[in-house]
Amino acid sequence: MGLPVRKSKVAAPPACPLTESLALLRGAWAPNVVWYLSAEPRRFGELRHDIPRISARVLSARLRGLVTRRVLDTSPPSAEYALTPLGHELLPAIQALASVGRKLIAEWEAGASKRASGAVRAKRSQPATTGS
Amino acid sequence: MGLPVRKSKVAAPPACPLTESLALLRGAWAPNVVWYLSAEPRRFGELRHDIPRISARVLSARLRGLVTRRVLDTSPPSAEYALTPLGHELLPAIQALASVGRKLIAEWEAGASKRASGAVRAKRSQPATTGS
DNA sequence: AAATGTAGTATCCGCCCGGTTACCGAACTC
DNA sequence: GAGTTCGGTAACCGGGCGGATACTACATTT
């Protein structure tokens, strides 16, 4: 199956690189999935464990496009997912994003006491351990 | 419905760096706004021109958080927006994304030359996305 | 006064996204 | 056969996002 990701109602003229690449990461948890697959292939359940609040439905949806699937011949049949080359190309961007995120978290924790400025605080922040 | 509780190294960190930084870029056109403000401050109308398909409503919404506003004392009163330091920190990630996007578009157009059939997609020319 | 240009806000509304729940099915164990 | 584990899919559904349109507000120009 081809990349199903670009199905916006607007036939986007391929003019903006940013829009194009972001279309690949569109949808909740997509960058997290890429992140956890970056180091090594993982199985469905492992990803569910890595990203605890993702639902099976969404994870299954995210695992199409940037990812290849390989069925393993295990006792209960399982599957292994790995990033496609295109997925790997997104890693620098994702790492840069993670770097910013780490800085953000560090600053928030450092200045947690003086919470006065109107920063961009999301209503619900999702815990999801992105280790390194 | 129990997850295979195979606890890994991390227990429950406050937040995921990826999720946090992506929260900043959440919403349509947000990265584009950051992109166009990266080089220099711009005014509302300039951004609308840079990103033709964005609506004023959404642009106005995006211009809160990563951006500072300065009212100019011009003939019709105008406003100038500039990235905050936090906004600038996102630039490496955005540039990495744009890089991937450029590659995608190149491959895309290369493969599109095969399909030079009747359907010509209406290409509304967009101002160059600042080749970075 | 009327028109124009700039900078937004208000309101409506359709639709997609994603959470939840239930269900499926293969393989293995008991 | 019943139960369990792993890996999904199907259907429902509520909320939010964002497009479209209309409107406001201020200052200058005609």
Side-chain angles (χ1 to χ4, degrees):
Chain A
M1 58 178 69
L3 301 177
V5 192
R6 47 179 19 275
K7 58 148 188 175
S8 175
K9 48 188 160 189
V10 230
C16 177
L18 254 188
T19 306
E20 293 308 321
S21 56
L22 281 165
L24 296 175
L25 292 178
R26 205 167 182 184
W29 309 114
N32 303 77
V33 170
V34 175
W35 174 273
Y36 282 107
L37 287 178
S38 64
E40 58 198 344
R42 290 183 100 76
R43 296 189 336 208
F44 195 87
E46 291 178 316
L47 286 170
R48 291 197 74 180
H49 170 254
D50 292 334
I51 317 173
R53 316 198 354 161
I54 198 174
S55 64
R57 179 185 171 280
V58 170
L59 176 57
S60 170
R62 292 300 161 264
L63 289 176
R64 290 172 217 145
L66 297 173
V67 151
T68 58
R69 179 177 188 267
R70 207 186 82 194
V71 177
L72 301 179
D73 190 15
T74 52
S75 36
S78 58
E80 188 182 73
Y81 292 90
L83 281 190
T84 63
L86 176 57
H88 278 288
E89 289 188 43
L90 288 169
L91 284 180
I94 291 183
Q95 285 165 0
L97 283 170
S99 171
V100 173
R102 270 182 241 113
K103 224 172 185 176
L104 268 177
I105 293 175
E107 291 173 6
W108 286 345
E109 286 176 349
S113 52
K114 49 168 186 178
R115 220 201 295 182
S117 67
V120 194
R121 202 69 172 92
K123 219 182 291 181
R124 31 149 202 170
S125 64
Q126 338 253 19
T129 72
T130 296
S132 157
Chain B
M1 57 185 81
L3 284 170
V5 189
R6 216 157 23 93
K7 297 291 286 184
S8 86
K9 45 202 167 181
V10 202
C16 168
L18 254 189
T19 306
E20 294 305 325
S21 56
L22 281 165
L24 297 175
L25 292 178
R26 203 187 239 170
W29 309 113
N32 302 79
V33 170
V34 174
W35 174 275
Y36 281 108
L37 287 178
S38 64
E40 59 198 343
R42 292 182 99 77
R43 297 186 335 204
F44 195 87
E46 290 178 318
L47 287 170
R48 290 198 73 180
H49 171 256
D50 292 335
I51 317 172
R53 307 189 335 195
I54 197 175
S55 65
R57 179 188 171 279
V58 171
L59 177 56
S60 171
R62 291 299 161 264
L63 290 176
R64 290 169 215 150
L66 297 173
V67 151
T68 59
R69 179 177 188 267
R70 208 187 81 194
V71 177
L72 301 180
D73 190 15
T74 53
S75 38
S78 58
E80 189 183 73
Y81 292 90
L83 282 190
T84 63
L86 176 56
H88 278 287
E89 288 188 44
L90 289 169
L91 285 180
I94 291 182
Q95 283 165 1
L97 283 170
S99 171
V100 174
R102 269 180 243 112
K103 224 172 184 174
L104 266 178
I105 292 174
E107 292 172 6
W108 200 352
E109 287 174 347
S113 55
K114 297 181 188 176
R115 290 204 67 195
S117 49
V120 176
R121 87 172 46 214
K123 166 170 184 168
R124 62 189 57 168
S125 63
Q126 222 161 350
T129 48
T130 351
S132 159

